[in-house]
Amino acid sequence: MESLKNKLIRFMAGRYGIDQLYYAGLFLALGLMMINMMVNSTILMVISNGVIVLMVLRGFSRNISRRRMENEKFLTLWNPIKKEGRIFFRRIKEIRVHRYRKCPYCKKTLKLPIKRGKNMVKCPECKESFAVRVIV
């Protein structure tokens, strides 16, 4: 068993391996497979299998600089989406105790405690005061 492990280590030496784009591709393929189970489309099956093959070939690639650039491009697209998703779910989680409002001057998002009615708020970033109305 140890010789098999050593052979695998030697085989993967100098190869790119797994990164965030790899995981995103596999989750995409899994999602397409689940949709395909309901729809039963040959096109979806071919696309999902193609994505899996593409991700496996990326993992075994020896062109590390090119794979790294692909992953960086993916992360420049993915990170803002991920950040907005985290903020969205945090807002939903804290909806009973906090409200989020943008400062009209510097556009910074402020986390405010719930005080019903009209309140004056001072932005900690730009030091400007503005009125905030909390209904519910």
Side-chain angles (χ1 to χ4, degrees), residues 94 96-101 110-116 119 121 132 134:
E94 297 176 354
R96 292 187 179 188
V97 289
H98 293 102
R99 291 292 185 260
Y100 291 84
R101 299 289 190 263
L110 306 175
K111 180 179 174 180
L112 306 170
I114 292 181
K115 293 181 186 172
R116 298 200 187 338
N119 304 304
V121 176
V132 173
V134 177

PDB file of all heavy atoms in Angstrom, residues 94 96-101 110-116 119 121 132 134:
ATOM      1  N   GLU A  94     -29.877  39.217  11.290  1.00  0.00           N
ATOM      2  CA  GLU A  94     -29.941  40.260  12.314  1.00  0.00           C
ATOM      3  C   GLU A  94     -31.111  41.227  12.121  1.00  0.00           C
ATOM      4  O   GLU A  94     -31.095  42.331  12.646  1.00  0.00           O
ATOM      5  CB  GLU A  94     -28.635  41.050  12.299  1.00  0.00           C
ATOM      6  CG  GLU A  94     -27.436  40.219  12.648  1.00  0.00           C
ATOM      7  CD  GLU A  94     -26.143  41.005  12.537  1.00  0.00           C
ATOM      8  OE1 GLU A  94     -26.184  42.159  12.071  1.00  0.00           O
ATOM      9  OE2 GLU A  94     -25.105  40.467  12.930  1.00  0.00           O
ATOM     10  N   ARG A  96     -34.008  41.441  13.347  1.00  0.00           N
ATOM     11  CA  ARG A  96     -34.774  41.828  14.540  1.00  0.00           C
ATOM     12  C   ARG A  96     -34.041  42.826  15.425  1.00  0.00           C
ATOM     13  O   ARG A  96     -34.675  43.466  16.262  1.00  0.00           O
ATOM     14  CB  ARG A  96     -35.115  40.595  15.361  1.00  0.00           C
ATOM     15  CG  ARG A  96     -36.097  39.708  14.655  1.00  0.00           C
ATOM     16  CD  ARG A  96     -36.542  38.592  15.533  1.00  0.00           C
ATOM     17  NE  ARG A  96     -37.516  37.781  14.815  1.00  0.00           N
ATOM     18  CZ  ARG A  96     -38.201  36.826  15.351  1.00  0.00           C
ATOM     19  NH1 ARG A  96     -38.020  36.516  16.609  1.00  0.00           N
ATOM     20  NH2 ARG A  96     -39.065  36.150  14.640  1.00  0.00           N
ATOM     21  N   VAL A  97     -32.742  42.965  15.274  1.00  0.00           N
ATOM     22  CA  VAL A  97     -31.989  43.836  16.175  1.00  0.00           C
ATOM     23  C   VAL A  97     -31.265  44.983  15.468  1.00  0.00           C
ATOM     24  O   VAL A  97     -30.929  45.981  16.110  1.00  0.00           O
ATOM     25  CB  VAL A  97     -30.973  43.028  17.007  1.00  0.00           C
ATOM     26  CG1 VAL A  97     -31.679  42.182  18.031  1.00  0.00           C
ATOM     27  CG2 VAL A  97     -30.089  42.196  16.124  1.00  0.00           C
ATOM     28  N   HIS A  98     -30.993  44.877  14.154  1.00  0.00           N
ATOM     29  CA  HIS A  98     -30.251  45.919  13.464  1.00  0.00           C
ATOM     30  C   HIS A  98     -30.881  46.244  12.114  1.00  0.00           C
ATOM     31  O   HIS A  98     -31.544  45.405  11.507  1.00  0.00           O
ATOM     32  CB  HIS A  98     -28.797  45.491  13.221  1.00  0.00           C
ATOM     33  CG  HIS A  98     -28.008  45.352  14.471  1.00  0.00           C
ATOM     34  ND1 HIS A  98     -27.737  44.137  15.026  1.00  0.00           N
ATOM     35  CD2 HIS A  98     -27.446  46.283  15.279  1.00  0.00           C
ATOM     36  CE1 HIS A  98     -27.031  44.315  16.135  1.00  0.00           C
ATOM     37  NE2 HIS A  98     -26.850  45.605  16.314  1.00  0.00           N
ATOM     38  N   ARG A  99     -30.634  47.463  11.665  1.00  0.00           N
ATOM     39  CA  ARG A  99     -30.986  47.888  10.315  1.00  0.00           C
ATOM     40  C   ARG A  99     -29.717  48.388   9.646  1.00  0.00           C
ATOM     41  O   ARG A  99     -28.839  48.960  10.289  1.00  0.00           O
ATOM     42  CB  ARG A  99     -32.015  49.017  10.323  1.00  0.00           C
ATOM     43  CG  ARG A  99     -33.376  48.596  10.800  1.00  0.00           C
ATOM     44  CD  ARG A  99     -34.014  47.636   9.790  1.00  0.00           C
ATOM     45  NE  ARG A  99     -35.374  47.310  10.180  1.00  0.00           N
ATOM     46  CZ  ARG A  99     -35.726  46.199  10.799  1.00  0.00           C
ATOM     47  NH1 ARG A  99     -34.813  45.337  11.136  1.00  0.00           N
ATOM     48  NH2 ARG A  99     -36.974  45.960  11.097  1.00  0.00           N
ATOM     49  N   TYR A 100     -29.626  48.178   8.353  1.00  0.00           N
ATOM     50  CA  TYR A 100     -28.473  48.621   7.584  1.00  0.00           C
ATOM     51  C   TYR A 100     -28.915  49.757   6.671  1.00  0.00           C
ATOM     52  O   TYR A 100     -29.882  49.630   5.929  1.00  0.00           O
ATOM     53  CB  TYR A 100     -27.911  47.470   6.745  1.00  0.00           C
ATOM     54  CG  TYR A 100     -27.259  46.398   7.587  1.00  0.00           C
ATOM     55  CD1 TYR A 100     -28.010  45.390   8.169  1.00  0.00           C
ATOM     56  CD2 TYR A 100     -25.906  46.408   7.793  1.00  0.00           C
ATOM     57  CE1 TYR A 100     -27.415  44.418   8.941  1.00  0.00           C
ATOM     58  CE2 TYR A 100     -25.290  45.435   8.563  1.00  0.00           C
ATOM     59  CZ  TYR A 100     -26.060  44.442   9.136  1.00  0.00           C
ATOM     60  OH  TYR A 100     -25.469  43.485   9.899  1.00  0.00           O
ATOM     61  N   ARG A 101     -28.200  50.870   6.739  1.00  0.00           N
ATOM     62  CA  ARG A 101     -28.487  52.019   5.895  1.00  0.00           C
ATOM     63  C   ARG A 101     -27.180  52.531   5.306  1.00  0.00           C
ATOM     64  O   ARG A 101     -26.127  52.451   5.933  1.00  0.00           O
ATOM     65  CB  ARG A 101     -29.142  53.156   6.686  1.00  0.00           C
ATOM     66  CG  ARG A 101     -30.473  52.809   7.313  1.00  0.00           C
ATOM     67  CD  ARG A 101     -31.546  52.672   6.228  1.00  0.00           C
ATOM     68  NE  ARG A 101     -32.868  52.573   6.830  1.00  0.00           N
ATOM     69  CZ  ARG A 101     -33.503  51.437   7.059  1.00  0.00           C
ATOM     70  NH1 ARG A 101     -32.930  50.302   6.759  1.00  0.00           N
ATOM     71  NH2 ARG A 101     -34.707  51.428   7.592  1.00  0.00           N
ATOM     72  N   LEU A 110     -23.934  51.419   7.055  1.00  0.00           N
ATOM     73  CA  LEU A 110     -23.889  51.531   8.515  1.00  0.00           C
ATOM     74  C   LEU A 110     -24.822  50.511   9.134  1.00  0.00           C
ATOM     75  O   LEU A 110     -25.924  50.286   8.653  1.00  0.00           O
ATOM     76  CB  LEU A 110     -24.309  52.939   8.954  1.00  0.00           C
ATOM     77  CG  LEU A 110     -23.552  54.102   8.336  1.00  0.00           C
ATOM     78  CD1 LEU A 110     -24.162  55.409   8.785  1.00  0.00           C
ATOM     79  CD2 LEU A 110     -22.103  54.033   8.711  1.00  0.00           C
ATOM     80  N   LYS A 111     -24.382  49.902  10.206  1.00  0.00           N
ATOM     81  CA  LYS A 111     -25.183  48.947  10.964  1.00  0.00           C
ATOM     82  C   LYS A 111     -25.748  49.703  12.159  1.00  0.00           C
ATOM     83  O   LYS A 111     -25.017  50.110  13.054  1.00  0.00           O
ATOM     84  CB  LYS A 111     -24.300  47.789  11.415  1.00  0.00           C
ATOM     85  CG  LYS A 111     -25.010  46.732  12.207  1.00  0.00           C
ATOM     86  CD  LYS A 111     -24.005  45.648  12.557  1.00  0.00           C
ATOM     87  CE  LYS A 111     -24.583  44.623  13.481  1.00  0.00           C
ATOM     88  NZ  LYS A 111     -23.614  43.590  13.814  1.00  0.00           N
ATOM     89  N   LEU A 112     -27.067  49.897  12.169  1.00  0.00           N
ATOM     90  CA  LEU A 112     -27.711  50.722  13.183  1.00  0.00           C
ATOM     91  C   LEU A 112     -28.635  49.888  14.052  1.00  0.00           C
ATOM     92  O   LEU A 112     -29.316  48.992  13.563  1.00  0.00           O
ATOM     93  CB  LEU A 112     -28.530  51.828  12.509  1.00  0.00           C
ATOM     94  CG  LEU A 112     -27.778  52.705  11.512  1.00  0.00           C
ATOM     95  CD1 LEU A 112     -28.756  53.584  10.758  1.00  0.00           C
ATOM     96  CD2 LEU A 112     -26.736  53.519  12.217  1.00  0.00           C
ATOM     97  N   PRO A 113     -28.681  50.181  15.350  1.00  0.00           N
ATOM     98  CA  PRO A 113     -29.668  49.501  16.193  1.00  0.00           C
ATOM     99  C   PRO A 113     -31.067  50.006  15.855  1.00  0.00           C
ATOM    100  O   PRO A 113     -31.235  51.126  15.370  1.00  0.00           O
ATOM    101  CB  PRO A 113     -29.260  49.899  17.614  1.00  0.00           C
ATOM    102  CG  PRO A 113     -28.524  51.174  17.438  1.00  0.00           C
ATOM    103  CD  PRO A 113     -27.857  51.107  16.103  1.00  0.00           C
ATOM    104  N   ILE A 114     -32.059  49.167  16.105  1.00  0.00           N
ATOM    105  CA  ILE A 114     -33.431  49.558  15.779  1.00  0.00           C
ATOM    106  C   ILE A 114     -33.923  50.565  16.817  1.00  0.00           C
ATOM    107  O   ILE A 114     -34.004  50.273  18.001  1.00  0.00           O
ATOM    108  CB  ILE A 114     -34.366  48.340  15.757  1.00  0.00           C
ATOM    109  CG1 ILE A 114     -34.009  47.448  14.588  1.00  0.00           C
ATOM    110  CG2 ILE A 114     -35.810  48.781  15.650  1.00  0.00           C
ATOM    111  CD1 ILE A 114     -34.883  46.241  14.447  1.00  0.00           C
ATOM    112  N   LYS A 115     -34.226  51.752  16.334  1.00  0.00           N
ATOM    113  CA  LYS A 115     -34.924  52.769  17.110  1.00  0.00           C
ATOM    114  C   LYS A 115     -36.037  53.245  16.201  1.00  0.00           C
ATOM    115  O   LYS A 115     -35.798  53.952  15.236  1.00  0.00           O
ATOM    116  CB  LYS A 115     -33.992  53.927  17.473  1.00  0.00           C
ATOM    117  CG  LYS A 115     -32.892  53.572  18.423  1.00  0.00           C
ATOM    118  CD  LYS A 115     -32.053  54.795  18.724  1.00  0.00           C
ATOM    119  CE  LYS A 115     -30.847  54.424  19.555  1.00  0.00           C
ATOM    120  NZ  LYS A 115     -29.927  55.548  19.705  1.00  0.00           N
ATOM    121  N   ARG A 116     -37.238  52.860  16.511  1.00  0.00           N
ATOM    122  CA  ARG A 116     -38.364  53.158  15.639  1.00  0.00           C
ATOM    123  C   ARG A 116     -38.590  54.662  15.537  1.00  0.00           C
ATOM    124  O   ARG A 116     -38.355  55.407  16.473  1.00  0.00           O
ATOM    125  CB  ARG A 116     -39.606  52.471  16.153  1.00  0.00           C
ATOM    126  CG  ARG A 116     -39.388  50.943  16.132  1.00  0.00           C
ATOM    127  CD  ARG A 116     -40.630  50.164  16.160  1.00  0.00           C
ATOM    128  NE  ARG A 116     -40.596  48.751  16.303  1.00  0.00           N
ATOM    129  CZ  ARG A 116     -39.659  47.882  16.069  1.00  0.00           C
ATOM    130  NH1 ARG A 116     -38.497  48.265  15.696  1.00  0.00           N
ATOM    131  NH2 ARG A 116     -39.823  46.603  16.216  1.00  0.00           N
ATOM    132  N   ASN A 119     -34.694  59.216  13.277  1.00  0.00           N
ATOM    133  CA  ASN A 119     -33.519  59.400  14.119  1.00  0.00           C
ATOM    134  C   ASN A 119     -32.429  60.120  13.342  1.00  0.00           C
ATOM    135  O   ASN A 119     -32.321  59.984  12.127  1.00  0.00           O
ATOM    136  CB  ASN A 119     -32.968  58.049  14.589  1.00  0.00           C
ATOM    137  CG  ASN A 119     -34.006  57.234  15.306  1.00  0.00           C
ATOM    138  OD1 ASN A 119     -34.582  57.699  16.279  1.00  0.00           O
ATOM    139  ND2 ASN A 119     -34.261  56.036  14.812  1.00  0.00           N
ATOM    140  N   VAL A 121     -28.448  60.288  12.657  1.00  0.00           N
ATOM    141  CA  VAL A 121     -27.316  59.383  12.726  1.00  0.00           C
ATOM    142  C   VAL A 121     -26.085  60.133  12.230  1.00  0.00           C
ATOM    143  O   VAL A 121     -26.154  60.883  11.258  1.00  0.00           O
ATOM    144  CB  VAL A 121     -27.555  58.137  11.837  1.00  0.00           C
ATOM    145  CG1 VAL A 121     -26.353  57.234  11.826  1.00  0.00           C
ATOM    146  CG2 VAL A 121     -28.781  57.395  12.291  1.00  0.00           C
ATOM    147  N   VAL A 132     -32.509  59.154   9.563  1.00  0.00           N
ATOM    148  CA  VAL A 132     -32.841  57.783   9.218  1.00  0.00           C
ATOM    149  C   VAL A 132     -34.216  57.485   9.774  1.00  0.00           C
ATOM    150  O   VAL A 132     -34.512  57.779  10.938  1.00  0.00           O
ATOM    151  CB  VAL A 132     -31.813  56.779   9.804  1.00  0.00           C
ATOM    152  CG1 VAL A 132     -32.265  55.351   9.578  1.00  0.00           C
ATOM    153  CG2 VAL A 132     -30.462  57.004   9.220  1.00  0.00           C
ATOM    154  N   VAL A 134     -36.883  54.499  10.595  1.00  0.00           N
ATOM    155  CA  VAL A 134     -37.069  53.064  10.768  1.00  0.00           C
ATOM    156  C   VAL A 134     -38.554  52.829  11.030  1.00  0.00           C
ATOM    157  O   VAL A 134     -39.097  53.320  12.025  1.00  0.00           O
ATOM    158  CB  VAL A 134     -36.209  52.515  11.935  1.00  0.00           C
ATOM    159  CG1 VAL A 134     -36.486  51.034  12.122  1.00  0.00           C
ATOM    160  CG2 VAL A 134     -34.750  52.771  11.668  1.00  0.00           C
TER     161      VAL A 134
END
